[in-house]
Amino acid sequence: MKSTELERKERELRRSRKKEEVLARKTEKGERSVGDFIKELHGYFFYDAQKIYNIESSDEIETLLMEMTEELPEKQWDNVIRKAVKQSKVAQKDEAIESLKLLADME
């Protein structure tokens, strides 16, 4: 085996160890970031090009919004909701945002 191949394998091994360490620190911390909430909320949506359909009927969305209000500061709540709806690229964004705000008791 050439020395360049050995060096490459060592670099890959160091990268994988560092990724594991970073992941371990994140899980140790226990708190989710704003981006984590956005991704998770967007993942619960059932939508087409026009509308998000399951806002009122989904227990997972309601539970996630309750967790969000407990874990994140109030100034971040609106960002999470708006960005999750924006990722879905539906035409009726305003209605979805208002429904989610009502569900989270933001207004």
Side-chain angles (χ1 to χ4, degrees):
M1 206 180 278
K2 291 184 177 182
S3 62
T4 55
E5 289 179 34
L6 289 173
E7 290 171 358
R8 181 182 52 84
K9 287 187 178 194
E10 287 177 16
R11 282 193 308 268
E12 288 175 1
L13 186 60
R14 282 194 307 261
R15 284 182 194 140
S16 65
R17 284 185 187 148
K18 185 169 182 173
K19 284 181 185 180
E20 289 174 4
E21 290 172 4
V22 169
L23 184 61
R25 276 187 285 160
K26 283 186 177 183
T27 56
E28 207 175 88
K29 188 177 177 184
E31 293 182 13
R32 291 181 279 190
S33 68
V34 173
D36 294 335
F37 278 106
I38 293 168
K39 289 175 189 172
E40 194 169 346
L41 183 58
H42 178 259
Y44 288 140
F45 290 158
F46 176 71
Y47 59 94
D48 61 7
Q50 295 299 315
K51 181 180 177 180
I52 299 173
Y53 293 102
N54 64 334
I55 292 174
E56 292 84 14
S57 63
S58 176
D59 292 334
E60 292 91 5
I61 292 174
E62 187 174 357
T63 304
L64 182 66
L65 289 174
M66 288 185 342
E67 291 171 1
M68 176 191 72
T69 57
E70 293 170 0
E71 293 181 28
L72 293 178
E74 189 171 347
K75 64 181 182 179
Q76 296 295 327
W77 299 351
D78 190 50
N79 285 341
V80 170
I81 291 173
R82 282 187 306 100
K83 289 182 180 184
V85 171
K86 186 177 179 180
Q87 280 186 357
S88 65
K89 298 178 182 168
V90 294
Q92 299 176 3
K93 288 180 183 141
D94 297 332
E95 292 84 1
I97 291 171
E98 290 303 316
S99 298
L100 286 166
K101 284 183 178 181
L102 288 174
L103 193 60
D105 294 327
M106 287 175 57
E107 294 183 326

